[in-house]
Amino acid sequence: MGARLDGRREWLVLASLCAGFFMLLLDSTIVSVALPDIARDLDVTTSVALWVNSSYLLAYSVPLLVAGRLGDRFGHRRLYLGGLGLFVIGSLLCALAPTAAWLVLWRALQGLGAAIMTPQCLAVIRTHFRPPRLAMALGVWGSIGGVAAAAGPLIGGLLVQVWDWRAIFAVNIPIGVLTLIAAFVFIPRSTRVAVPVAAWAVVANAAGATAFVIGVQGIDETAAEVMGVPRAVWIAVGLGAVAGVVFAQRRRGDAALLPVGLLRERSFVVASAGAAAAAFAVGSAAVPVMWAVQADRGLSAGAAAVLLVPMGAVCIVGAPIAARWNNRRGLRFVGVIGATSLVLSLVLTAWLLAADAPVWTVSLSFAVFGIANSFVWAPFSISAVAHVPASLLGAASGAFNAVKQGGAVVGSAVVAVVMGFASDAVALLVLAGVALFAIVAAVALSSARVDSGRRWEGIVVHGAGRGRVLSYPTANLRLDAAASLPDDGVYAGWFRARSWHTERPALVSVGTNETFDDVGRSVEVHVLDFDGDLYGCRATVRVERRVRAQRRYPDAAALVAAMRVDERVARKWLEERTVGSDRGEGTGP
């Protein structure tokens, strides 16, 4: 559980995270503008210069899963500060690099720092922000990617034109140092989970991820082999190694590098798949557009970058709207808008490019892309971690970001291949086709709103009586509006019988208890510190936070032991909420 923060410090924490995240995302787009100048100044070929980007991508993609798990083990704040420090050091060394070889090496150091930082952001936000501010925070954080995508080429072009390519790395140093100071001051220390991380699993996962990225990206995008081995073999071996680690650790529970329980969590799987599909399209969409307006229309790099300004402006304006709608309309509503906007913007832009339409129409059509960037990320991010216990936040965040980045890597490779034999418009249509899966995933998200404190009314009815037999009595609640229930799981919440003046803290089980084969979907409430008779009375239940997913236990004793743990977690959470309410910091009973 995270420390309760006052409203002002919450937003200072978010600002510290967003500044670092913006910097690393900006760096991934800003360098592409400077590659011609880098190749010319360091006297290297274009293929060598491209490795300035590829080394960063490789070093960023590979450690994401491991970095998230290490955040659980050693603290998310500590890992964020360490990653940010590596990134700043890498930026300084890149600015001073005397040769292309050293520049490629130091770019890899930057990528490693960025990989360590990224999973910690989502974990810290999820720990310290409560609904309804959680949706707003993730909305702002998620929109940073769109703003960075628009700002990167503009800032990069300006720095290269006024100074030289080394300025695009040097600019990170003062920004990074200030962000380090802010993060050190404002981000609270996070709880460390004493989970041993198996060294062999870390090495095997890193090797598998490296093989996958090398196979997808290649040393030379036009070559079918890497070091004499077909790229398809690299990909298969890489995926096999990662899957092998998951399988070998399947019985280690929460101590695994990637706990299998996460893969049984429907919301996490759907969100990860949707984010991967969206990243496949978003990560490479600007490439065919920029190529078309420069190579075919004759625009300079700076003029072409200006075309992205409307997209960036829409993204900035849309972010707070999307965040509010996450609370008011639900994740599914916002996610569908974002994913649909993504497909529409790509299809419309492809049609305009194929029709040789004026460039200003291309700019306006791509502005719809800004709606996608504002709306699509937060619903997937919230869904991925909303139901994950605090001890697994790093693992969930690392896995989510690794899958998402995997989608971006594959998208980049596919666009490069398609642009080699087809038009830029066709490349955009391919991206739009994959983005359709993001719409499917968004439709599969929960329709429940993110805000806490929603109430459901019903009547207490007789159940199977197992709770009383197990010395863990529960009240079965037949709700008036069962369709409005949250996802299945065990929740910390509140219960009030109609005759009571105040609510009582409770543990609320929603869904099917798979430990018993003859039990259907139900709502069972264990009212803490209460052992009276409630049958036949009308009552109100309100859930605050999900403690865990529904699980099958080997026997009733194991179930009761798990419920005792759930009760301790719920008590701690509800006590924090009550204290926060007394201070005016949150919504209590």
Side-chain angles (χ1 to χ4, degrees):
M1 299 291 175
R4 187 67 191 167
L5 306 177
D6 60 48
R8 179 173 175 270
R9 189 172 179 187
E10 277 185 342
W11 299 111
L12 289 172
V13 168
L14 182 64
S16 302
L17 296 172
C18 286
F21 193 52
F22 177 81
M23 187 172 60
L24 70 89
L25 290 178
L26 184 74
D27 206 66
S28 65
T29 58
I30 198 174
V31 173
S32 59
V33 178
L35 287 180
D37 290 78
I38 291 173
R40 185 168 50 253
D41 187 51
L42 298 179
D43 192 24
V44 295
T45 63
T46 301
S47 60
V48 173
L50 286 174
W51 264 97
V52 174
N53 261 351
S54 297
S55 62
Y56 180 90
L57 178 65
L58 181 65
Y60 178 63
S61 304
V62 169
L64 282 170
L65 177 58
V66 174
R69 204 61 177 118
L70 291 178
D72 290 332
R73 178 67 178 84
F74 298 105
H76 300 299
R77 174 181 181 268
R78 180 176 297 181
L79 267 290
Y80 180 80
L81 291 172
L84 181 56
L86 273 181
F87 186 87
V88 173
I89 293 171
S91 298
L92 173 62
L93 294 172
C94 284
L96 300 175
T99 65
W102 283 110
L103 181 58
V104 169
L105 177 64
W106 301 137
R107 278 286 283 167
L109 183 65
Q110 275 190 311
L112 177 60
I116 295 173
M117 289 169 60
T118 301
Q120 319 313 325
C121 294
L122 189 54
V124 170
I125 292 172
R126 167 65 168 73
T127 299
H128 296 294
F129 281 82
R130 308 291 185 242
R133 289 190 291 271
L134 174 62
M136 178 67 77
L138 285 174
V140 172
W141 180 74
S143 67
I144 289 296
V147 178
L154 285 172
I155 297 174
L158 177 63
L159 291 174
V160 171
Q161 184 174 345
V162 175
W163 288 283
D164 64 9
W165 63 266
R166 297 180 188 275
I168 65 175
F169 300 111
V171 73
N172 291 330
I173 300 169
I175 298 174
V177 170
L178 291 176
T179 303
L180 264 173
I181 295 172
F184 182 81
V185 172
F186 297 123
I187 299 178
R189 295 181 184 274
S190 55
T191 302
R192 296 166 59 182
V193 182
V195 176
V197 180
W200 72 266
V202 172
V203 173
N205 177 80
T210 301
F212 174 78
V213 175
I214 287 177
V216 172
Q217 195 72 14
I219 303 297
D220 181 353
E221 292 176 346
T222 62
E225 297 182 345
V226 176
M227 293 182 284
V229 179
R231 287 167 64 171
V233 174
W234 283 94
I235 294 173
V237 170
L239 291 175
V242 175
V245 171
V246 176
F247 181 79
Q249 292 196 305
R250 68 191 184 283
R251 300 189 188 282
R252 294 202 65 196
D254 292 353
L257 186 63
L258 176 60
V260 176
L262 287 177
L263 303 181
R264 298 193 185 106
E265 185 68 60
R266 178 181 176 275
S267 59
F268 173 81
V269 173
V270 169
S272 298
F280 183 102
V282 172
S284 301
V287 175
V289 175
M290 291 293 98
W291 190 273
V293 297
Q294 292 182 65
D296 299 339
R297 308 293 183 90
L299 270 64
S300 66
V306 172
L307 295 179
L308 299 179
V309 171
M311 183 270 287
V314 170
C315 186
I316 293 172
V317 173
I321 298 174
R324 286 195 295 270
W325 283 3
N326 278 322
N327 288 327
R328 298 175 183 176
R329 302 294 185 89
L331 302 181
R332 180 187 299 167
F333 181 84
V334 176
V336 168
I337 289 178
T340 304
S341 299
L342 177 57
V343 173
L344 290 177
S345 67
L346 294 173
V347 171
L348 180 58
T349 304
W351 179 73
L352 291 172
L353 290 178
D356 202 24
V359 292
W360 66 267
T361 62
V362 175
S363 179
L364 290 180
S365 70
F366 209 62
V368 182
F369 194 79
I371 299 177
N373 259 320
S374 298
F375 281 71
V376 78
W377 300 119
F380 289 136
S381 298
I382 294 171
S383 184
V385 299
H387 301 148
V388 175
S391 61
L392 295 180
L393 275 178
S397 179
F400 173 76
N401 280 285
V403 172
K404 184 173 77 170
Q405 182 62 20
V409 170
V410 176
S412 174
V414 169
V415 164
V417 171
V418 173
M419 289 177 63
F421 68 86
S423 66
D424 302 315
V426 171
L428 287 173
L429 291 177
V430 170
L431 294 178
V434 175
L436 289 172
F437 289 99
I439 297 179
V440 175
V443 171
L445 294 176
S446 171
S447 60
R449 297 182 301 174
V450 179
D451 58 341
S452 63
R454 293 185 65 193
R455 291 172 168 80
W456 297 275
E457 293 189 358
I459 187 169
V460 179
V461 298
H462 286 275
R466 289 193 179 95
R468 184 71 63 181
V469 172
L470 297 174
S471 300
Y472 210 96
T474 58
N476 281 264
L477 195 65
R478 186 175 66 206
L479 297 182
D480 298 336
S484 65
L485 282 173
D487 292 339
D488 287 3
V490 177
Y491 293 81
W494 306 90
F495 178 92
R496 183 174 72 85
R498 175 164 288 184
S499 59
W500 298 355
H501 296 294
T502 60
E503 295 174 313
R504 291 177 181 266
L507 200 62
V508 184
S509 174
V510 178
T512 302
N513 188 333
E514 297 182 354
T515 305
F516 306 107
D517 295 328
D518 59 341
V519 177
R521 194 167 191 265
S522 63
V523 177
E524 298 183 48
V525 184
H526 173 65
V527 185
L528 305 184
D529 305 321
F530 177 81
D531 193 25
D533 188 0
L534 296 170
Y535 292 126
C537 72
R538 289 196 60 79
T540 300
V541 64
R542 179 164 63 92
V543 295
E544 288 274 352
R545 181 174 182 175
R546 194 159 94 158
V547 177
R548 62 169 172 84
Q550 292 286 5
R551 299 171 185 166
R552 176 184 287 275
Y553 292 93
D555 51 43
L559 172 63
V560 171
M563 292 178 71
R564 298 297 181 195
V565 174
D566 297 338
E567 181 178 339
R568 289 196 295 271
V569 173
R571 285 184 185 278
K572 183 176 180 180
W573 163 256
L574 295 171
E575 287 171 3
E576 289 181 354
R577 293 293 282 163
T578 304
V579 172
S581 177
D582 293 340
R583 294 175 179 171
E585 297 171 358
T587 303

